[in-house]
Amino acid sequence: MDDIKKTDSGFDDEVFSKAAVTDFIERFTPYKDHWVHFRSDENFGLSSDYSNEITPHAIYGLDVNRLLLMAEGQLKSRSPNRTNFHYMGFNRRPVAAIFKAHGTTVSGNPYKDYPAHWQNLLDYVKENHPAAENRVQGFYPRDHYVDGVAFTAILYATEFACDQILKLGGEGPYRPHPSKPALWRELLLASGIDAIEDRSNTLTGDCDHQIAVVNPAAATLISVLDNPLAPARVAEFKAR
């Protein structure tokens, strides 16, 4: 699969030199408590086409704190090719865009606004996508829909509504369609959500500790760095 079709995560078993990892730690330490977006350039807006057919069209960011912990573990590991630092495929990208997320960000801990978001979603599909009304009704807020359960419920309610609208057969998440990313983003925004903070490997199925910002106004660019783990890509990018 061409790497443009991947999110900013994904398994990669390349073993980095200690010098490269040390450089990574030094460059990223000032940006603890931020997110980092690895793409082909620093423009992380949502104006460009999105070729992933499974996940919402969004600005995807990885948790800098989490990356630093994994990088430090990489330096201490006796088997560096077996550390989970390598399941992040960000070494494919030449640029690291550091950003902060704000607005209405939902996560699994805590998540108290599910009833309001669900009602917003239901009202929206009734008016704009009536074929999905029954699907959304199936996620009516219940007593046990709190925190992590509610977080999964809003993802499933919006994703399965997409699948219903697009007439995708079968059951379960991660069913692809070219129109799904834009539609899923539309439904999340209609629910009143600006960003999804995923610590449970639920949204994309290949990465935890990430964020998906569906409203670009809810992301503020802080800094742009060369990615020290992708020197060849950096050189190629600057030679364009």
Side-chain angles (χ1 to χ4, degrees), residues 102-231:
H102 45 91
T104 301
T105 301
V106 301
S107 68
N109 186 27
Y111 180 27
K112 306 300 182 186
D113 295 328
Y114 178 76
H117 291 155
W118 175 86
Q119 188 63 56
N120 290 342
L121 176 64
L122 181 64
D123 292 343
Y124 184 79
V125 298
K126 278 183 176 180
E127 182 175 350
N128 298 279
H129 302 288
E133 180 180 345
N134 287 342
R135 203 68 170 104
V136 175
Q137 286 279 16
F139 291 92
Y140 179 86
R142 296 168 173 83
D143 290 342
H144 67 284
Y145 277 22
V146 295
D147 297 338
V149 175
F151 177 73
T152 301
I154 195 63
L155 292 184
Y156 281 2
T158 49
E159 180 179 8
F160 292 173
C162 288
D163 295 346
Q164 188 76 17
I165 295 164
L166 297 171
K167 299 180 180 179
L168 303 182
E171 290 291 334
Y174 310 127
R175 282 176 283 170
H177 189 281
S179 299
K180 185 170 183 176
L183 179 58
W184 196 350
R185 176 186 174 222
E186 174 190 331
L187 297 185
L188 287 168
L189 288 170
S191 301
I193 295 169
D194 293 310
I196 297 286
E197 183 179 326
D198 182 18
R199 303 282 179 178
S200 55
N201 195 28
T202 302
L203 184 59
T204 63
D206 64 4
C207 176
D208 54 12
H209 300 281
Q210 70 174 334
I211 197 167
V213 184
V214 293
N215 179 4
T220 300
L221 181 66
I222 303 299
S223 184
V224 177
L225 312 173
D226 289 345
N227 184 358
L229 299 182

